[in-house]
Amino acid sequence: MEKIEHTTVRTNGINMHIASIGTGPVVLFLHGFPELWYSWRHQLLSLSSLGYRCIAPDLRGFGDTDAPPSAASYSALHIVGDLIGLLDHLGVDQVFLVGHDWGAVIAWWFCLFRPDRVKALVNMSVAFTPRNPKRKPVDGLRALFGDDYYICRFQEPGEIEKEFAGYDTASIMKKFLTGRNPKPPCLPKGVGLRAWKTPETLPPWLLEEDVNYFVSKFSKTGFVGGLNYYRALNLTWELTGPWTGLQIKVPVKFIVGDLDITYHIPGVKDYIHNGGFKRDVPFLQEVIVIEDGAHFINQEKPDEISQHVYDFIKKF
């Protein structure tokens, strides 16, 4: 880990912290919520040892990267803009893109906005969702899961932050990272995070020192930067009308754990396996469903995921 270099890059009006290691073709790793560059620690070491230059930023709002206060600064156009600026600063023309959770959502948008900058994509957890011109995403989720659904509860600025404030940061991180229940995560008002168990012992893939690293950053920044991604969901929808109906035109491998909450959203399995996904992502080459894999698959099964990434990108 001490071989990983940490630098700050000025891009798109913010200062972005990046972790990088290795030389060769560039692999750009995009983390999710509530995470950091650190979520890719295993893949950075593994892929760099196989001849790649691995770069994992703290995305806008996270860790040591700037966190503009307004949720209106967190649309997909902002986040992809940060990444294009990062690549331009580094003099990198094209990358292999690897995304998970929110990083996967951003990676899909990256491929829609700037396919010329992507050699191939390995995305995890969140399948492509074509823009529905008739309904905003949060409205759709509310209709599907109700007001207590976590994304709906995250919408009102300050509300969930108050609930988070009743817990130490380590408990919050453990609740998120160790969840294995594939049912829709809900945070009923008045119950909040008590609805999610804090594990008594950590699973073997998550060390106390890993939790401590996340805690060291989130205890300073809070969670508002990450929450702003959810609060900008409808804004992104409003801004991206011109891309309605566009296909993802880069080679793609998709990986999901069979216990991932995202895999159990009504209609998703049918979409992934029965032609919808391939229609919208015509260069989809592989879909991997990992048995007994939960949401944070890149940390839970690091060697398997590194191998999957390598097996795909080495073809190009």
Side-chain angles (χ1 to χ4, degrees), residues 2 59 64 109 153-154 181 208 214 268-269 271 293 299 305:
E2 61 279 358
L59 294 175
D64 294 321
W109 284 115
R153 288 295 321 281
F154 286 178
N181 183 346
E208 209 63 58
F214 286 112
V268 164
K269 283 184 194 172
Y271 174 75
Q299 297 184 72
I305 293 302

Side-chain angles (χ1 to χ4, degrees), residues 26-28 55 87 92-97 110 117-121:
V26 175
V27 187
L28 180 64
I55 298 172
L87 298 185
V92 174
D93 183 38
Q94 279 197 317
V95 295
F96 293 111
L97 208 49
F110 191 120
R117 305 299 291 267
V118 183
K119 288 183 198 168
L121 166 66

Side-chain angles (χ1 to χ4, degrees), residues 185-250:
C186 289
L187 294 166
K189 283 191 183 178
V191 180
L193 282 172
R194 282 204 311 279
W196 301 356
K197 280 196 302 212
T198 308
E200 288 173 23
T201 56
L202 292 175
W205 58 267
L206 187 66
L207 306 178
E208 209 63 58
E209 68 192 64
D210 300 327
V211 174
N212 291 343
Y213 186 85
F214 286 112
V215 168
S216 73
K217 301 302 176 184
F218 281 106
S219 58
K220 281 189 201 141
T221 63
F223 292 91
V224 67
L227 293 168
N228 279 338
Y229 282 65
Y230 298 93
R231 291 168 185 162
L233 270 166
N234 282 352
L235 174 63
T236 290
W237 179 89
E238 289 167 19
L239 295 172
T240 52
W243 289 271
T244 303
L246 209 59
Q247 293 173 308
I248 298 282
K249 288 286 188 73
V250 306

Side-chain angles (χ1 to χ4, degrees), residues 79-120:
I79 315 300
V80 175
D82 297 343
L83 298 169
I84 293 296
L86 168 64
L87 298 185
D88 289 348
H89 175 91
L90 297 173
V92 174
D93 183 38
Q94 279 197 317
V95 295
F96 293 111
L97 208 49
V98 181
H100 168 260
D101 184 77
W102 257 108
V105 177
I106 297 304
W108 292 123
W109 284 115
F110 191 120
C111 293
L112 278 180
F113 299 153
R114 294 302 302 270
D116 58 304
R117 305 299 291 267
V118 183
K119 288 183 198 168

Side-chain angles (χ1 to χ4, degrees), residues 144-145 184 264-269:
L144 204 53
F145 297 119
H264 292 263
I265 293 170
V268 164
K269 283 184 194 172

Side-chain angles (χ1 to χ4, degrees), residues 268-305:
V268 164
K269 283 184 194 172
D270 180 65
Y271 174 75
I272 288 173
H273 298 295
N274 291 333
F277 199 12
K278 183 75 173 167
R279 176 197 65 225
D280 297 329
V281 186
F283 305 137
L284 177 67
Q285 296 187 13
E286 291 179 72
V287 172
I288 307 289
V289 180
I290 292 186
E291 199 175 324
D292 195 38
H295 181 65
F296 295 93
I297 194 89
N298 48 332
Q299 297 184 72
E300 183 188 338
K301 299 192 184 286
D303 296 342
E304 204 174 329
I305 293 302

